Amino acid sequence: MSDNTAKAREIAKKLLQDGTVAMVLGWEKGSEPYVSAPTVVRDAADVDRLVVDEYCIHDLAALLPDYRDHSDKIAIFAKGCDSRGIVRLIQDRVITRDRLYIIGINCPGMKDPNEFIRAASGLSKAKPADKAAKCLHCQYPNPVIYDEILGEAQKPGADQRLTEVDKIESMSADERYDFFIKEFSRCIRCYACRNACVACNCRTCIFDETKPQWVGRSTDPVNNLLYQIVRAMHVAGRCIECGECERACPVGIPLMLLNRKLIKDVDQLFGPYQAGLSLEDEAIPPLSRYRVDDPDEFM
Amino acid sequence: MKSFLQYLGIEPERYQLAWISGSEGQKFADIMTHVVDEIKKVGPNRKLREEHE
């Protein structure tokens, strides 16, 4: 991947020097060798901070809403999942395509820095996996939208995204409820899942509102589950399956089980549909679009 | 929504949606009776309730 780092720096330097963009969103080396943290580079002299390696797991597209009120042109590095996030943000009018210079990265799958941190600190005996959990089911390793591209095109693995969902569906209603309540009882309501999410780009989030307060803020299992039900419904049809929510979760709640269920439903009721694949009108999320022949099934 | 609540283990009878116009009094009454009957069949709800002790 060091080859990609060199190319990434070269591209960033050129873009900043000739004034094509005012800033570059990329990754830099963090506190540990296995951490690559999101960073902003505004000066061509600083491009040597940038890296593109196997730990660049953060979805940079989730940072774009912070710049929605700026007018600066932004260069952004985008893996397959990030690029779908960018498409979604453009569709949601958070940012316009002409403000972006997208440097695509054909992504072989990333490693999860959290696993390495846990292993190094002795918190976990498990050996860190070669591929992060969120990358295992990736169907779009290659960017769907870009101005320039790094690396070799990758082949997606077998589509087994819904196996876990099917497993839950085969349980009885009471088993399912008890399973989810148990998982969500761990939630500490840190909202990391929301903050890491590209689909969560509302200016005012209903979970921050206190008048009226839509969902209870205490960390009891029921309010935690209600919070996640509402969040999952809000991103239904807009979730790009980047898996950032689940990765960001400090207590390891299997959040993608909720999102994938809704992806399955939206795909079956309105589909075939997957979010963030293209900028065409037809690719607008079914739940954000008016159609006379709407199947009206979602309620 | 119904399918999603079912997935979380909530009985589908508890969540029903119907489109009733302001002039359809009889339809409203019929549907309400139907909803109550269905819910009586499933019995008291223990799910998604805050515990008050």
Side-chain angles (χ1 to χ4, degrees):
Chain A
M1 274 286 213
S2 56
D3 189 28
N4 279 350
T5 299
K7 273 190 209 143
R9 288 176 182 170
E10 200 180 301
I11 294 168
K13 192 168 192 174
K14 189 172 153 281
L15 291 172
L16 285 167
Q17 266 171 352
D18 65 17
T20 316
V21 299
M23 55 191 278
V24 178
L25 285 176
W27 300 272
E28 68 178 339
K29 268 298 154 204
S31 47
E32 305 284 349
Y34 36 77
V35 175
S36 294
T39 190
V40 179
V41 175
R42 289 181 175 275
D43 188 340
D46 285 342
V47 293
D48 286 345
R49 274 182 18 223
L50 291 171
V51 288
V52 175
D53 62 10
E54 68 270 39
Y55 300 107
C56 296
I57 196 163
H58 294 86
D59 188 343
L60 297 179
L63 302 175
L64 286 176
D66 292 349
Y67 301 97
R68 70 186 353 159
D69 296 325
H70 295 214
S71 53
D72 291 350
K73 218 178 151 183
I74 302 171
I76 180 169
F77 288 93
K79 310 184 291 291
C81 48
D82 306 356
S83 74
R84 290 176 68 188
I86 295 172
V87 169
R88 284 295 312 115
L89 291 174
I90 297 171
Q91 284 171 336
D92 284 351
R93 312 266 197 279
V94 169
I95 203 150
T96 49
R97 178 69 181 90
D98 55 5
R99 271 188 62 201
L100 294 173
Y101 188 92
I102 304 164
I103 308 152
I105 297 170
N106 288 321
C107 172
M110 293 291 158
K111 292 177 180 170
D112 188 347
N114 291 341
E115 290 183 21
F116 287 82
I117 292 171
R118 281 188 213 116
S121 66
L123 273 173
S124 161
K125 296 267 182 292
K127 198 172 161 277
D130 279 345
K131 234 184 198 187
K134 79 167 205 171
C135 300
L136 289 178
H137 298 307
C138 180
Q139 294 302 304
Y140 294 91
N142 306 320
V144 294
I145 178 177
Y146 56 84
D147 295 305
E148 207 160 333
I149 190 106
L150 297 177
E152 298 283 312
Q154 302 286 328
K155 271 207 191 94
D159 189 351
Q160 294 175 326
R161 299 174 299 140
L162 298 175
T163 17
E164 292 293 309
V165 172
D166 293 339
K167 213 193 273 172
I168 301 278
E169 281 180 336
S170 66
M171 292 164 34
S172 79
D174 287 348
E175 278 170 3
R176 286 199 295 264
Y177 182 76
D178 292 339
F179 168 79
F180 281 115
I181 274 290
K182 192 170 151 252
E183 292 290 335
F184 286 103
S185 63
R186 294 202 299 275
C187 175
I188 54 171
R189 298 297 276 280
C190 64
Y191 301 108
C193 45
R194 176 195 66 181
N195 291 359
C197 180
V198 240
C200 276
N201 56 45
C202 297
R203 279 177 194 270
T204 310
C205 172
I206 76 155
F207 303 116
D208 291 339
E209 285 191 337
T210 47
K211 281 181 183 173
Q213 192 185 74
W214 301 96
V215 178
R217 297 180 144 198
S218 55
T219 51
D220 62 90
V222 168
N223 274 320
N224 293 345
L225 182 52
L226 279 173
Y227 158 58
Q228 288 299 345
I229 293 174
V230 175
R231 203 184 89 82
M233 288 304 291
H234 280 196
V235 301
R238 310 192 301 131
C239 169
I240 50 152
E241 286 189 84
C242 65
E244 278 287 276
C245 49
E246 201 171 283
R247 185 188 66 79
C249 181
V251 291
I253 298 172
L255 294 165
M256 287 309 287
L257 278 179
L258 300 186
N259 292 331
R260 291 223 165 92
K261 165 66 181 164
L262 287 167
I263 285 167
K264 183 180 170 184
D265 282 359
V266 170
D267 186 54
Q268 278 174 359
L269 297 170
F270 302 94
Y273 179 77
Q274 292 203 60
L277 291 186
S278 92
L279 284 170
E280 303 295 315
D281 273 356
E282 274 307 297
I284 295 171
L287 302 177
S288 316
R289 176 175 57 185
Y290 175 73
R291 269 196 353 215
V292 184
D293 57 344
D294 194 291
D296 276 346
E297 280 292 339
F298 205 55
M299 296 302 277
Chain B
M1 187 77 213
K2 198 163 183 168
S3 143
F4 188 53
L5 285 175
Q6 226 169 324
Y7 178 71
L8 297 166
I10 311 297
E11 297 84 354
E13 291 84 355
R14 298 196 196 279
Y15 179 85
Q16 300 190 24
L17 186 98
W19 194 256
I20 310 168
S21 142
S23 61
E24 295 173 318
Q26 189 57 46
K27 188 176 169 192
F28 178 75
D30 290 348
I31 288 175
M32 285 320 287
T33 322
H34 175 75
V35 169
V36 172
D37 286 348
E38 292 266 284
I39 290 179
K40 276 188 178 155
K41 266 187 242 161
V42 235
N45 179 33
R46 72 173 176 94
K47 293 166 184 171
L48 283 186
R49 290 174 59 152
E50 284 184 61
E51 302 291 335
H52 295 289
E53 283 168 39

